[in-house]
Amino acid sequence: DAGVTQSPTHLIKTRGQQVTLRCSPKSGHDTVSWYQQALGQGPQFIFQYYEEEERQRGNFPDRFSGHQFPNYSSELNVNALLLGDSALYLCASSSQAGTSYNEQFFGPGTRLTVL
Amino acid sequence: QQQVKQSPQSLIVQKGGISIINCAYENTAFDYFPWYQQFPGKGPALLIAIRPDVSEKKEGRFTISFNKSAKQFSLHIMDSQPGDSATYFCAAQTGGGNKLTFGTGTQLKVEL
């Protein structure tokens, strides 16, 4: 049973460009959350998707947008990249069903470097 | 706003010793408190979690102690091993399946 998978592993972009990151949730999970982890910091919540809609959003600008597909996979899009967007982007999946709805399982992340 | 404060920032423990990491929170609406372990270049892995209706939860060498009145919780790693060397994050969550608010992390090194 595959866990949470993310692609690509690493990405290098220049300021002003746009980037799309992808996530496939753990089998049986229907909810995807995205987090940004700067070097030496804890993950910061960006937003969460459930039933193909944005369910919650953290304190991130509109340059950050997302999408969830019918198969529960998700994309994170960042427009007009800034140097400060350089970070590890983590996807976490969970299930709204059952008693384990609190448990969020993280993927390996995508390391984004903005030059 | 820092809603979950974690200490210490770094910790060095001898093999076989006890590692203790502390967290404090402000939001009384938090009702789920997980700990994550993260190795370099990897995503955080769920280690153990507790709800505020119990004061302690133990899984193997890992124990969470929870003090609801003080709004504090801690992770104890018994018989610490070099393989435990990693960064540990406490987190808190309100309601079911909602966003996780993380602490700033503790870098643990277990020496031989």
Side-chain angles (χ1 to χ4, degrees):
Chain A
D1 176 27
V4 180
T5 59
Q6 293 186 242
S7 63
T9 305
H10 296 87
L11 205 51
I12 299 175
K13 292 285 187 178
T14 57
R15 283 178 295 174
Q17 285 189 312
Q18 178 264 344
V19 68
T20 297
L21 310 181
R22 295 175 176 83
C23 170
S24 291
K26 182 179 169 67
S27 178
H29 284 185
D30 54 13
T31 303
V32 172
S33 302
W34 286 93
Y35 293 81
Q36 180 195 65
Q37 186 177 23
L39 201 61
Q41 301 294 317
Q44 297 291 315
F45 176 77
I46 303 175
F47 43 54
Q48 183 183 80
Y49 277 84
Y50 172 65
E51 293 188 331
E52 302 180 47
E53 291 189 357
E54 184 180 288
R55 186 170 174 236
Q56 293 183 83
R57 189 178 183 91
N59 189 26
F60 279 81
D62 292 345
R63 297 186 298 108
F64 290 78
S65 63
H67 188 77
Q68 186 179 34
F69 299 94
N71 67 351
Y72 307 118
S73 66
S74 176
E75 287 182 349
L76 164 65
N77 300 291
V78 187
N79 294 322
L81 285 167
L82 303 174
L83 295 179
D85 294 332
S86 295
L88 180 68
Y89 287 84
L90 296 162
C91 169
S93 75
S94 55
S95 172
Q96 297 302 312
T99 58
S100 61
Y101 51 82
N102 290 105
E103 297 178 353
Q104 294 190 21
F105 294 87
F106 284 81
T110 294
R111 172 70 64 185
L112 172 64
T113 301
V114 182
L115 301 176
Chain B
Q1 181 183 0
Q2 178 73 46
Q3 292 195 50
V4 180
K5 296 183 179 180
Q6 183 171 347
S7 63
Q9 184 175 356
S10 63
L11 181 62
I12 299 175
V13 173
Q14 296 300 310
K15 180 183 176 183
I18 302 173
S19 304
I20 301 174
I21 304 171
N22 301 298
C23 283
Y25 62 97
E26 300 166 1
N27 187 350
T28 56
F30 287 142
D31 62 0
Y32 178 73
F33 301 88
W35 284 89
Y36 284 84
Q37 178 190 59
Q38 186 175 29
F39 293 102
K42 305 292 184 183
L46 180 61
L47 200 57
I48 186 173
I50 197 168
R51 297 184 192 279
D53 53 345
V54 297
S55 60
E56 185 175 281
K57 183 174 182 180
K58 183 177 180 179
E59 290 184 1
R61 296 186 294 111
F62 301 92
T63 299
I64 299 179
S65 296
F66 188 85
N67 186 328
K68 187 175 181 178
S69 60
K71 292 185 286 185
Q72 296 176 347
F73 59 111
S74 60
L75 176 69
H76 296 234
I77 305 174
M78 312 300 288
D79 187 27
S80 298
Q81 299 297 313
D84 296 331
S85 297
T87 300
Y88 292 81
F89 292 96
C90 62
Q93 186 182 64
T94 60
N98 288 327
K99 70 174 186 178
L100 289 166
T101 300
F102 283 84
T104 51
T106 296
Q107 193 166 1
L108 171 65
K109 182 177 181 180
V110 181
E111 293 183 336
L112 294 170

